Amino acid sequence: MKRQLSRLWLAGVLAIALPTSQCWAQDAERIVKAMSDYLGSAKTIALTFDTDIEVITPDVQKLQFTSSGQVTLSRPDKLRATRVGGYADVELVFDGKALTVLGKNINAFAQVEAPGSIDQLVQRLRDEFSVSLPGADLLLSRSYDELMMGVLDAKYIGRGVVDGVECEHLAFRNEDADWQLWVEVGARPIPRKYVITSKAVAAAPQYTLRIKEFRTDAPQAADAFAFKAPASAKKIAINALSEIDEIPQGTIPGVKK
């Protein structure tokens, strides 16, 4: 069995390594630009997603943690996102003036002033709080510029199917990471799958985002981006929020956060 798997793996490597007329950087960049224009022109977006994040233990065992969630946005400055996993249940609400992060599993929330757009919020979360929204690069109004920054190599691989949807499969290389996109074929160039592989960490852990349902015409309630704190939830400083990550806090067998 191991020999058969090795042969299959080698055949796959050789097949993908052989130069083909499909592997054109300009095709990959064109598809990303079309996706970016489509997403950026949508005034409202509602989607559901699944994520997988891998960690490498000190004894070089790869473990994967899985979460699911929803994102609703209204450009330029309204956003609500949720993420539920085995260790955290988190909600983020942004109304253009304030950002609120609620840890339902710890019954606590933090709130900070954050005037500006969704693009400005995404950047501030990264710079000040080291927090990334699931697929945040894809939510920006000009996602092409962010995604293609630092790209050293781009390839159009071919076609693939994600959750029954035919997609264009693209592959890119940066200095520290390889990343792949599967973009829906047709009039709606929606990113259906996004994989980031770290080259700076041994065993190359991956982050995978799968976009499930996607709508640009979903009705939004008047209070869709208003935050109402649960009656028993306590308000704390944002830097005191803990146990809201996709990876469990503390130590589990062989894993340190």
Side-chain angles (χ1 to χ4, degrees):
M1 177 61 75
K2 288 184 178 179
R3 184 174 297 176
Q4 291 175 336
L5 290 174
S6 297
R7 288 174 178 172
L8 288 172
W9 178 84
L10 180 59
V13 169
L14 290 175
I16 202 67
L18 291 174
T20 71
S21 60
Q22 291 180 321
C23 295
W24 294 333
Q26 59 266 35
D27 283 351
E29 294 174 10
R30 173 182 56 78
I31 293 168
V32 173
K33 184 62 166 62
M35 178 198 74
S36 173
D37 291 346
Y38 179 78
L39 296 178
S41 66
K43 299 302 182 183
T44 63
I45 292 176
L47 62 88
T48 62
F49 66 86
D50 293 334
T51 65
D52 300 316
I53 186 169
E54 296 179 344
V55 298
I56 310 301
T57 70
D59 58 351
V60 199
Q61 181 180 9
K62 185 178 290 189
L63 300 179
Q64 190 175 86
F65 297 90
T66 302
S67 300
S68 295
Q70 300 178 339
V71 174
T72 303
L73 68 82
S74 177
R75 299 192 192 279
D77 59 0
K78 303 288 189 298
L79 175 72
R80 181 182 291 270
T82 65
R83 174 176 49 79
V84 181
Y87 307 93
D89 186 349
V90 184
E91 183 173 35
L92 181 149
V93 182
F94 173 61
D95 63 2
K97 298 178 181 179
L99 166 69
T100 305
V101 182
L102 170 65
K104 296 181 181 179
N105 55 301
I106 59 174
N107 201 29
F109 70 95
Q111 196 168 59
V112 295
E113 292 185 4
S117 66
I118 295 172
D119 289 16
Q120 290 171 319
L121 174 69
V122 168
Q123 194 62 48
R124 185 179 177 189
L125 285 173
R126 287 174 175 168
D127 294 345
E128 293 187 30
F129 307 114
S130 298
V131 173
S132 293
L133 292 171
D137 293 342
L138 306 175
L139 300 177
L140 300 175
S141 59
R142 297 174 61 87
S143 56
Y144 176 86
D145 296 340
E146 185 70 21
L147 288 167
M148 299 306 295
M149 185 181 303
V151 167
L152 304 175
D153 181 63
K155 289 185 175 69
Y156 171 73
I157 303 302
R159 294 284 176 96
V161 176
V162 179
D163 293 328
V165 178
E166 188 175 20
C167 298
E168 308 280 15
H169 180 193
L170 318 174
F172 304 86
R173 309 202 81 178
N174 292 1
E175 183 175 350
D176 296 325
D178 294 342
W179 55 279
Q180 300 174 73
L181 267 178
W182 285 258
V183 180
E184 182 173 332
V185 173
R188 300 198 319 157
I190 299 164
R192 289 295 179 178
K193 185 177 177 181
Y194 183 33
V195 177
I196 303 172
T197 304
S198 174
K199 297 188 293 188
V201 179
Q206 292 185 328
Y207 175 84
T208 301
L209 170 73
R210 288 182 178 84
I211 293 179
K212 316 292 278 188
E213 299 176 4
F214 184 99
R215 296 184 62 180
T216 58
D217 59 352
Q220 295 179 346
D223 60 350
F225 304 99
F227 176 74
K228 184 177 180 180
S232 60
K234 59 183 179 293
K235 186 176 182 179
I236 60 178
I238 195 164
N239 58 5
L241 279 174
S242 62
E243 300 181 37
I244 62 170
D245 206 344
E246 292 177 87
I247 302 171
Q249 292 276 352
T251 303
I252 60 176
V255 181
K256 292 183 179 180
K257 187 173 183 295

